Amino acid sequence: GETAQLFRRLEVPRQGCGPCVCMDPQLERFADTLALAGIDITQPFDVRWYNAHAIEHSLPLSPLPTFERPPSDGTLAVLLGNSTALWPAFLRWLAAQPDPESVTDPLDTYTASVISAAVADLTGGARHDIFWVTDSSRLVSMQRVALVSGLCYHDAETQLSIHPAFGAWVAFRAVVVLDAPAARFGDSPPPLVRCLLTDADKASARDAMAAALRASDEANLCTQLHGAKGMERDVRLAWAALRDCVTVGRDHRYSEAQLVYHYTKDREVLMHAMRAQPAAT
């Protein structure tokens, strides 16, 4: 098909991607366009890796589509996500809206808009599918994609995805599956990222997880007694504290406003951050 001619494996890896993943010029442009909008993680992978991983580990996950491509061809897909780079780009977009306070689900609206536009430009109408992290009806484990594609270490105890550069300060937005071959990646996925947690990190994470579980239990009790979600914000921030236990990538920690909004969706925090942005020049 048309898309089958669009992608080929290059010999030079793209800076910032997983250790064994390379991109052709069109995917390079796609990645560059998204990076300008704050979506600075673009990780190509073969659908076969994810589907085989789910079967091997008996995970309750539906397979990603292959568009009936021959199994020997593989099927190309791309994991999209962001580091702290998303926040300033998002705030600039929000400030440019006619009525920022009226935008529904502003961060999801922004990321869906920029990703959809970039995918449309990449595919030119060729067959593809987008799986959004916000769509629980079509669940894809982005953490497992990051694991099998060689992008991140996956910590089974905390369920954190830990990037070699960004540490725990990453968020995944979507998986895009393309009607294009991935055979040049080879039959085997890249090596898994080694454990990136120190012994001290692991001890801190255990303590933070215990505190988050206690907060969750107290919140459940509060809800049962008072019929309210009075502790929901505190519970979410208790879980967010797990990220601070990871040493690697601390230079890429979210700002306090980004962290709080990421976990609580507090509109007041968002509006304050938007107004505090330097004026565009």
Side-chain angles (χ1 to χ4, degrees):
E2 179 185 358
T3 348
Q5 304 303 319
L6 297 184
F7 306 104
R8 59 184 177 83
R9 179 118 186 240
L10 300 182
E11 297 304 320
V12 181
R14 175 182 171 81
Q15 182 70 27
C17 287
C20 297
V21 173
C22 309
M23 292 198 282
D24 90 323
Q26 284 190 281
L27 279 180
E28 288 275 3
R29 288 194 296 272
F30 175 68
D32 290 343
T33 297
L34 287 173
L36 289 173
I39 308 293
D40 56 343
I41 294 174
T42 307
Q43 182 76 349
F45 68 98
D46 188 335
V47 162
R48 291 179 296 181
W49 303 344
Y50 175 81
N51 291 349
H53 178 84
I55 293 170
E56 179 184 351
H57 295 274
S58 302
L59 301 174
L61 299 169
S62 298
L64 288 171
T66 62
F67 296 115
E68 300 83 44
R69 302 195 65 83
S72 59
D73 277 4
T75 305
L76 183 62
V78 188
L79 172 65
L80 302 177
N82 63 272
S83 69
T84 188
L86 178 66
W87 191 241
F90 164 56
L91 292 180
R92 286 193 297 271
W93 170 85
L94 186 62
Q97 301 310 299
D99 184 4
E101 295 197 34
S102 71
V103 179
T104 303
D105 298 323
L107 185 56
D108 292 339
T109 298
Y110 171 70
T111 55
S113 172
V114 297
I115 289 171
S116 296
V119 170
D121 184 61
L122 173 69
T123 61
R127 209 159 44 149
H128 66 279
D129 203 350
I130 306 178
F131 294 82
W132 302 100
V133 72
T134 53
D135 185 358
S136 59
S137 68
R138 301 204 309 158
L139 181 65
V140 173
S141 174
M142 310 278 170
Q143 289 83 0
R144 297 287 177 163
V145 173
L147 170 69
V148 300
S149 66
L151 179 70
C152 291
Y153 169 70
H154 179 258
D155 181 58
E157 189 169 357
T158 62
Q159 294 300 307
L160 287 175
S161 286
I162 303 170
H163 188 278
F166 301 135
W169 304 104
V170 293
F172 302 122
R173 300 295 167 185
V175 163
V176 182
V177 182
L178 302 159
D179 186 5
R184 292 180 181 271
F185 286 134
D187 292 329
S188 301
L192 299 182
V193 176
R194 63 176 178 82
C195 179
L196 296 173
L197 297 173
T198 66
D199 289 342
D201 290 348
K202 292 176 183 178
S204 296
R206 280 193 293 270
D207 290 344
M209 195 155 190
L213 288 169
R214 285 195 302 271
S216 296
D217 289 343
E218 290 172 9
N220 289 337
L221 179 61
C222 181
T223 300
Q224 292 165 9
L225 292 178
H226 306 294
K229 295 183 178 180
M231 291 185 64
E232 184 175 358
R233 177 190 172 98
D234 291 341
V235 171
R236 292 184 179 185
L237 293 179
W239 285 106
L242 273 172
R243 295 188 186 219
D244 275 323
C245 298
V246 180
T247 302
V248 65
R250 278 185 177 164
D251 289 348
H252 298 279
R253 187 185 190 275
Y254 293 173
S255 67
E256 284 302 313
Q258 182 177 6
L259 180 62
V260 171
Y261 184 72
H262 179 86
Y263 279 95
T264 68
K265 299 297 184 285
D266 187 321
R267 293 292 288 242
E268 189 174 330
V269 168
L270 176 61
M271 290 299 117
H272 184 268
M274 183 197 72
R275 296 184 187 106
Q277 277 286 102
T281 56

